[in-house]
Amino acid sequence: MGAPFLANSQAGFFYPFNLLLSWLETSRAINWTIVLHIFLAASGAYVFARSTQGVRLSIAASCLAAISFGLGGYLGTQIEHVNQLQGLAWIGWMFLAYEFSTRKNAESRIQNLAWIPLAILITFQLLAGHTQSVFITLVGLGCYAVWQLIESIFAARPNGWRSYALRTTHYLLPLLLAVLVAIGLSAIQLLPTLELTRNSARSGGLPANLAVSFSLDPRLLGHALLPDYEGALPPAVNSRRSSRWLR
Protein backbone atom coordinates (compact mmCIF):
# COMPACT_ATOMS: atom_id res chain seq x y z
CA MET A 1 0.00 0.00 0.00
CA GLY A 2 2.94 2.33 0.42
CA ALA A 3 3.42 5.11 2.96
CA PRO A 4 3.19 8.93 2.85
CA PHE A 5 6.52 10.54 2.07
CA LEU A 6 5.89 14.29 2.12
CA ALA A 7 3.62 14.06 5.18
CA ASN A 8 6.28 12.21 7.17
CA SER A 9 8.18 15.08 8.75
CA GLN A 10 11.18 12.86 9.48
CA ALA A 11 11.90 12.67 5.76
CA GLY A 12 12.73 16.39 5.86
CA PHE A 13 11.33 16.95 2.38
CA PHE A 14 11.16 20.74 2.77
CA TYR A 15 14.37 21.14 4.77
CA PRO A 16 16.43 23.67 2.73
CA PHE A 17 19.73 21.79 2.91
CA ASN A 18 18.07 18.55 1.78
CA LEU A 19 16.73 20.40 -1.25
CA LEU A 20 20.15 21.90 -1.98
CA LEU A 21 21.84 18.48 -1.89
CA SER A 22 19.05 16.58 -3.66
CA TRP A 23 20.97 16.58 -6.97
CA LEU A 24 23.76 14.45 -5.48
CA GLU A 25 23.85 10.67 -5.23
CA THR A 26 22.13 9.59 -2.00
CA SER A 27 25.22 8.29 -0.19
CA ARG A 28 27.25 11.34 -1.14
CA ALA A 29 24.45 13.71 -0.11
CA ILE A 30 24.28 12.02 3.31
CA ASN A 31 28.05 12.33 3.75
CA TRP A 32 27.98 16.00 2.80
CA THR A 33 25.07 16.82 5.10
CA ILE A 34 26.77 15.07 8.05
CA VAL A 35 29.99 17.05 7.56
CA LEU A 36 28.11 20.29 6.97
CA HIS A 37 25.95 20.00 10.07
CA ILE A 38 28.80 18.97 12.34
CA PHE A 39 30.55 22.14 11.14
CA LEU A 40 27.40 24.18 11.79
CA ALA A 41 27.09 22.73 15.29
CA ALA A 42 30.73 23.38 16.20
CA SER A 43 30.85 26.87 14.68
CA GLY A 44 27.56 27.82 16.36
CA ALA A 45 28.90 26.76 19.75
CA TYR A 46 32.12 28.72 19.15
CA VAL A 47 30.43 31.94 18.03
CA PHE A 48 27.89 31.79 20.86
CA ALA A 49 30.62 31.24 23.44
CA ARG A 50 32.56 34.21 22.06
CA SER A 51 29.52 36.48 21.82
CA THR A 52 27.50 35.74 24.95
CA GLN A 53 26.70 39.01 26.66
CA GLY A 54 28.48 39.35 30.00
CA VAL A 55 30.24 35.95 29.80
CA ARG A 56 32.38 36.28 26.69
CA LEU A 57 34.77 33.34 26.74
CA SER A 58 38.36 33.28 25.54
CA ILE A 59 39.29 31.83 22.14
CA ALA A 60 40.66 28.68 23.79
CA ALA A 61 37.53 28.16 25.89
CA SER A 62 35.31 28.81 22.88
CA CYS A 63 37.26 26.25 20.83
CA LEU A 64 36.77 23.75 23.65
CA ALA A 65 33.03 24.45 23.59
CA ALA A 66 32.96 23.94 19.81
CA ILE A 67 34.88 20.64 20.00
CA SER A 68 32.86 19.37 22.95
CA PHE A 69 29.53 20.02 21.23
CA GLY A 70 30.37 19.46 17.57
CA LEU A 71 32.57 16.39 18.04
CA GLY A 72 31.25 15.13 21.38
CA GLY A 73 29.25 12.01 22.10
CA TYR A 74 25.92 13.85 22.12
CA LEU A 75 26.02 14.69 18.41
CA GLY A 76 28.28 11.79 17.50
CA THR A 77 25.60 9.28 18.42
CA GLN A 78 23.13 11.07 16.11
CA ILE A 79 25.18 10.73 12.92
CA GLU A 80 23.13 7.71 11.88
CA HIS A 81 19.95 9.72 12.60
CA VAL A 82 20.47 12.42 9.99
CA ASN A 83 17.33 14.44 10.75
CA GLN A 84 18.27 14.62 14.44
CA LEU A 85 21.77 15.82 13.57
CA GLN A 86 20.31 18.41 11.20
CA GLY A 87 18.01 19.80 13.88
CA LEU A 88 20.48 19.78 16.77
CA ALA A 89 23.19 21.46 14.70
CA TRP A 90 21.34 24.78 14.95
CA ILE A 91 21.27 24.98 18.75
CA GLY A 92 24.27 27.30 19.13
CA TRP A 93 23.07 29.61 16.37
CA MET A 94 19.58 29.74 17.91
CA PHE A 95 20.92 30.81 21.29
CA LEU A 96 23.02 33.42 19.51
CA ALA A 97 19.97 34.65 17.58
CA TYR A 98 18.04 34.99 20.85
CA GLU A 99 20.90 37.04 22.33
CA PHE A 100 20.82 39.24 19.22
CA SER A 101 17.06 39.79 19.53
CA THR A 102 17.27 40.94 23.17
CA ARG A 103 20.18 43.29 22.51
CA LYS A 104 18.44 44.97 19.60
CA ASN A 105 15.14 45.23 21.45
CA ALA A 106 16.90 47.15 24.19
CA GLU A 107 17.62 49.87 21.63
CA SER A 108 14.39 50.13 19.68
CA ARG A 109 11.91 47.54 20.96
CA ILE A 110 10.23 44.91 18.82
CA GLN A 111 9.67 47.08 15.75
CA ASN A 112 13.14 46.36 14.36
CA LEU A 113 12.19 42.67 13.87
CA ALA A 114 15.43 41.49 15.47
CA TRP A 115 13.69 38.22 16.40
CA ILE A 116 13.28 37.22 12.72
CA PRO A 117 16.66 35.35 12.55
CA LEU A 118 15.56 33.24 15.51
CA ALA A 119 12.24 32.51 13.78
CA ILE A 120 14.09 31.37 10.65
CA LEU A 121 16.37 29.05 12.63
CA ILE A 122 13.42 27.52 14.52
CA THR A 123 11.82 26.98 11.11
CA PHE A 124 14.94 25.09 9.98
CA GLN A 125 14.66 22.86 13.03
CA LEU A 126 10.97 22.17 12.42
CA LEU A 127 11.58 21.35 8.76
CA ALA A 128 14.46 19.02 9.67
CA GLY A 129 11.74 16.76 10.99
CA HIS A 130 12.67 15.72 14.51
CA THR A 131 10.11 17.05 16.97
CA GLN A 132 12.10 16.05 20.05
CA SER A 133 15.05 18.19 18.95
CA VAL A 134 12.76 21.20 18.63
CA PHE A 135 11.28 20.50 22.05
CA ILE A 136 14.72 20.16 23.68
CA THR A 137 15.96 23.37 22.10
CA LEU A 138 12.88 25.45 22.93
CA VAL A 139 12.88 24.25 26.55
CA GLY A 140 16.56 25.23 26.75
CA LEU A 141 15.87 28.62 25.17
CA GLY A 142 12.93 29.18 27.51
CA CYS A 143 15.07 28.40 30.58
CA TYR A 144 17.81 30.67 29.24
CA ALA A 145 15.32 33.51 28.67
CA VAL A 146 13.86 33.14 32.17
CA TRP A 147 17.35 33.08 33.67
CA GLN A 148 18.24 36.28 31.77
CA LEU A 149 15.03 37.88 33.05
CA ILE A 150 15.67 36.91 36.68
CA GLU A 151 19.28 38.06 36.48
CA SER A 152 18.25 41.46 35.08
CA ILE A 153 15.63 41.92 37.81
CA PHE A 154 18.12 41.23 40.58
CA ALA A 155 20.71 43.48 38.92
CA ALA A 156 18.44 46.48 38.25
CA ARG A 157 15.91 46.19 41.11
CA PRO A 158 13.04 47.72 39.05
CA ASN A 159 10.31 49.72 40.80
CA GLY A 160 6.63 49.12 40.09
CA TRP A 161 4.77 46.52 38.08
CA ARG A 162 5.30 48.39 34.79
CA SER A 163 9.05 47.98 35.06
CA TYR A 164 8.64 44.25 35.72
CA ALA A 165 6.22 43.94 32.79
CA LEU A 166 8.64 45.75 30.44
CA ARG A 167 11.50 43.49 31.44
CA THR A 168 9.37 40.39 31.05
CA THR A 169 8.32 41.55 27.59
CA HIS A 170 11.90 42.37 26.66
CA TYR A 171 13.20 38.87 27.40
CA LEU A 172 10.23 36.60 26.64
CA LEU A 173 8.35 38.27 23.79
CA PRO A 174 11.09 37.79 21.13
CA LEU A 175 11.10 34.04 21.78
CA LEU A 176 7.30 33.83 21.69
CA LEU A 177 7.07 35.81 18.44
CA ALA A 178 9.82 33.72 16.85
CA VAL A 179 8.05 30.46 17.72
CA LEU A 180 4.70 31.66 16.34
CA VAL A 181 6.23 32.88 13.08
CA ALA A 182 8.28 29.67 12.74
CA ILE A 183 5.12 27.58 13.07
CA GLY A 184 3.54 29.65 10.30
CA LEU A 185 6.58 29.31 8.04
CA SER A 186 6.69 25.55 8.67
CA ALA A 187 2.98 25.03 8.03
CA ILE A 188 3.77 23.53 4.61
CA GLN A 189 5.24 20.57 6.52
CA LEU A 190 3.32 20.67 9.80
CA LEU A 191 -0.18 20.52 8.29
CA PRO A 192 0.39 17.34 6.22
CA THR A 193 2.13 15.77 9.23
CA LEU A 194 -0.82 16.63 11.45
CA GLU A 195 -3.19 15.02 8.95
CA LEU A 196 -1.00 11.91 8.83
CA THR A 197 -0.92 11.74 12.63
CA ARG A 198 -4.72 11.86 12.82
CA ASN A 199 -4.88 8.83 10.52
CA SER A 200 -2.10 6.88 12.20
CA ALA A 201 -2.03 4.37 15.06
CA ARG A 202 -1.20 7.26 17.41
CA SER A 203 -4.37 9.21 16.69
CA GLY A 204 -6.07 7.90 19.83
CA GLY A 205 -3.10 8.51 22.08
CA LEU A 206 -0.57 6.07 23.50
CA PRO A 207 -0.72 3.70 26.48
CA ALA A 208 1.08 5.01 29.55
CA ASN A 209 3.87 2.42 29.37
CA LEU A 210 4.60 3.30 25.74
CA ALA A 211 4.34 7.06 26.34
CA VAL A 212 7.04 6.97 29.02
CA SER A 213 9.33 4.53 27.18
CA PHE A 214 12.90 5.78 26.75
CA SER A 215 12.29 8.48 29.38
CA LEU A 216 15.01 9.20 31.95
CA ASP A 217 14.74 7.15 35.11
CA PRO A 218 15.89 9.38 38.02
CA ARG A 219 17.54 6.35 39.58
CA LEU A 220 20.00 6.31 36.68
CA LEU A 221 21.26 9.88 37.13
CA GLY A 222 24.31 8.61 38.99
CA HIS A 223 25.45 6.81 35.84
CA ALA A 224 26.19 10.17 34.20
CA LEU A 225 29.04 10.74 36.67
CA LEU A 226 30.00 7.16 37.48
CA PRO A 227 29.15 4.65 34.71
CA ASP A 228 29.66 1.66 37.01
CA TYR A 229 27.22 3.03 39.60
CA GLU A 230 25.35 0.02 41.05
CA GLY A 231 26.98 -2.32 38.54
CA ALA A 232 25.84 -0.59 35.37
CA LEU A 233 28.68 -1.98 33.25
CA PRO A 234 28.62 -5.58 31.95
CA PRO A 235 30.60 -8.14 34.02
CA ALA A 236 33.18 -8.52 31.24
CA VAL A 237 34.01 -4.81 31.40
CA ASN A 238 34.27 -4.92 35.17
CA SER A 239 36.59 -7.92 35.05
CA ARG A 240 38.88 -6.17 32.56
CA ARG A 241 39.00 -3.10 34.81
CA SER A 242 39.78 -5.29 37.85
CA SER A 243 42.61 -7.01 36.01
CA ARG A 244 44.12 -3.65 35.07
CA TRP A 245 44.06 -2.50 38.68
CA LEU A 246 45.61 -5.79 39.80
CA ARG A 247 48.49 -5.26 37.40
Side-chain angles (χ1 to χ4, degrees), residues 97-116 166 169-175 177:
Y98 171 76
E99 282 271 332
F100 174 77
S101 69
T102 56
R103 293 179 195 177
K104 290 295 181 182
N105 289 341
E107 299 171 4
S108 53
R109 303 299 176 189
I110 299 298
Q111 287 82 355
N112 58 24
L113 303 180
W115 46 270
I116 290 295
L166 288 174
T169 301
H170 172 73
Y171 285 102
L172 301 186
L173 186 59
L175 179 57
L177 290 173

Side-chain angles (χ1 to χ4, degrees), residues 5-16 18-19 127-129 188-189:
F5 178 68
L6 186 148
N8 183 0
S9 62
Q10 294 191 71
F13 182 84
F14 293 106
Y15 183 62
N18 286 345
L19 296 175
L127 294 179
I188 192 173
Q189 177 65 75

Side-chain angles (χ1 to χ4, degrees), residues 219-241:
R219 295 172 297 178
L220 302 179
L221 289 174
H223 299 172
L225 299 176
L226 186 63
D228 196 25
Y229 178 66
E230 291 187 348
L233 295 181
V237 177
N238 286 327
S239 62
R240 285 198 299 269
R241 279 190 170 182

